[in-house]
Amino acid sequence: MNILIKLIQVAFLYGFYVIGSWLHDFFHIPLPGSIIGLLLVWGALSTNLLKLKWIESGAHSLLSVLPIFFIPATVAIMNYGHFFSGKGSLLIPITIVSTFLTMGVASFISQSIAKRLDKRKEESECN
Amino acid sequence: MQLIILTFGFILLTIAVYFAMTVLYMKVHLPFLVPIITTTIVIIVILVLFNIPYETYMFGGQWIDKLLGPAVVSLAIPLYKQRDLLKRQIYPIITGVLVGCLTGMVTGVWLAKSAGFSKELVLSILPKSITTPIAMQIATQVGGIPALSAVFVIIAGISGVLLSHYFLAFFKLDSTLGRGIGLGVATHAIGTSKAIEYGEQEASLSSVAMTLSAIFGSLLGPMIALLFY
């Protein structure tokens, strides 16, 4: 019974993905269907059109094994080996260096702005 | 008949390898043994050993791939449950994502261009920190190769998952906010699957960062491309 409920909820979430993809195609929104579906579910939850309990256990099941859904995409890397031979192998360290610069900058900026805002709030509370 | 066996065979293979790798990861908790990486490697090794082309694997693989859409939709739940946190931290989130997203595109293009790669390759690397479907759209828009962009997106995601733990700890970027935003901006959905390990707050921050980054990236990507060419 429990698993049936989860399956129905997953089907429901799939429906949002389909609607999102349809909106993407129809209105040429520059976001993929899955992200439009995410925004739709988030909006529907925030406006109480959708109750959390209608989708939560299905969503939780999907998220608990999220990495497996990327496997078909990551395995595709085997077809692109030739791009990364010879000089092309440089593209891998370039991607990695740029990825960590991105991570470091994003992380540092959000963390330090949050700290500064917290401090300001503390000071105004003290005065 | 053979098609049915291939389809179910590859679905079962993927699930079996994934669960075996998950058990391994739980037993030996080393960051570079995350299931997404070990499973990918084991499956590629199996395919290469038995001389099976990727296209054949995808008879089964496509069914797992189809669930990626609703799985990404599911990220709305941690997002919704952590709405107070997100509202409270709106300025740090937006600024961090915007600057991070620009850093990702500019440094990728600049490094690849300096190394003397062709314009097509350089522009394919531009959207690498953005989630695959959008990265491919941006690549088309700026004149890169979409399939190759998808590969860079995966390299960014995998290297992030592999090393982020050490990197963030070393630079003391290990607050909830720092981890969530850093992973989401630099390593999109693959990194978000890692952020879930830290907790619901990190997961929601990472999904927000990924989504915002996709929006900023599709708006700013073409401008960055113009800046360099």
Side-chain angles (χ1 to χ4, degrees):
Chain A
M1 197 59 205
N2 204 355
I3 198 152
L4 193 68
I5 291 173
K6 279 185 180 164
L7 279 175
I8 294 170
Q9 296 191 348
V10 168
F12 197 52
L13 289 161
Y14 196 87
F16 273 95
Y17 165 61
V18 172
I19 296 171
S21 306
W22 184 81
L23 288 172
H24 163 85
D25 291 341
F26 199 78
F27 294 105
H28 301 287
I29 303 171
L31 288 175
S34 56
I35 297 220
I36 298 173
L38 182 160
L39 294 171
L40 286 175
V41 171
W42 184 67
L45 285 169
S46 303
T47 50
N48 275 324
L49 287 171
L50 197 66
K51 294 263 185 296
L52 196 58
K53 63 173 185 208
W54 294 350
I55 47 172
E56 194 175 14
S57 89
H60 186 76
S61 307
L62 286 176
L63 290 180
S64 65
V65 292
L66 182 59
I68 199 177
F69 304 121
F70 291 100
I71 302 299
T74 53
V75 171
I77 238 176
M78 67 186 275
N79 275 354
Y80 291 89
H82 61 280
F83 265 105
F84 300 96
S85 58
K87 194 194 173 197
S89 61
L90 252 183
L91 289 166
I92 295 173
I94 286 175
T95 305
I96 296 175
V97 167
S98 170
T99 296
F100 281 95
L101 283 172
T102 309
M103 190 182 294
V105 166
S107 184
F108 176 76
I109 289 200
S110 54
Q111 198 171 293
S112 45
I113 292 182
K115 254 181 219 155
R116 200 173 302 164
L117 289 178
D118 280 349
K119 209 184 260 175
R120 206 184 293 166
K121 206 186 267 173
E122 266 169 39
E123 277 166 10
S124 66
E125 275 164 9
C126 290
N127 291 337
Chain B
M1 191 59 209
Q2 203 191 356
L3 193 73
I4 297 173
I5 295 171
L6 279 178
T7 305
F8 279 99
F10 287 124
I11 292 176
L12 285 176
L13 173 76
T14 310
I15 295 175
V17 174
Y18 176 75
F19 279 101
M21 292 303 124
T22 306
V23 170
L24 174 75
Y25 183 56
M26 284 193 296
K27 290 227 166 98
V28 194
H29 207 80
L30 293 169
F32 60 86
L33 286 181
V34 282
I36 194 169
I37 293 164
T38 47
T39 310
T40 306
I41 294 172
V42 170
I43 290 181
I44 291 181
V45 168
I46 292 174
L47 295 180
V48 170
L49 274 181
F50 291 93
N51 233 330
I52 303 166
Y54 175 69
E55 289 68 25
T56 311
Y57 167 73
M58 279 310 277
F59 282 127
Q62 60 171 321
W63 296 99
I64 296 171
D65 191 54
K66 274 197 204 314
L67 283 171
L68 183 57
V72 170
V73 171
S74 302
L75 288 167
I77 280 86
L79 219 67
Y80 172 72
K81 285 166 98 177
Q82 295 294 332
R83 58 195 177 283
D84 294 332
L85 167 78
L86 301 176
K87 217 179 278 170
R88 205 166 58 237
Q89 302 286 22
I90 183 117
Y91 295 113
I93 292 172
I94 290 186
T95 324
V97 174
L98 181 61
V99 181
C101 181
L102 284 171
T103 309
M105 295 190 288
V106 171
T107 56
V109 169
W110 175 67
L111 285 169
K113 197 183 175 190
S114 314
F117 285 103
S118 70
K119 184 178 172 184
E120 228 181 10
L121 271 173
V122 171
L123 292 174
S124 305
I125 219 169
L126 179 137
K128 63 153 188 354
S129 59
I130 295 161
T131 184
T132 309
I134 309 204
M136 292 175 84
Q137 283 172 25
I138 297 174
T140 313
Q141 217 178 336
V142 300
I145 308 163
L148 202 55
S149 290
V151 176
F152 289 124
V153 170
I154 292 164
I155 296 176
I158 287 186
S159 65
V161 167
L162 201 60
L163 303 168
S164 63
H165 186 78
Y166 306 107
F167 177 82
L168 293 172
F170 184 79
F171 288 104
K172 299 216 161 28
L173 298 168
D174 44 9
S175 66
T176 302
L177 194 71
R179 276 182 188 150
I181 299 298
L183 279 169
V185 175
T187 60
H188 45 86
I190 295 181
T192 302
S193 75
K194 170 83 185 168
I196 290 176
E197 274 180 30
Y198 289 117
E200 192 177 73
Q201 295 196 326
E202 279 88 348
S204 63
L205 286 163
S206 184
S207 341
V208 165
M210 168 185 87
T211 308
L212 275 178
S213 180
I215 297 171
F216 291 149
S218 45
L219 298 172
L220 299 172
M223 290 183 221
I224 307 283
L226 279 179
L227 213 66
F228 281 89
Y229 289 100

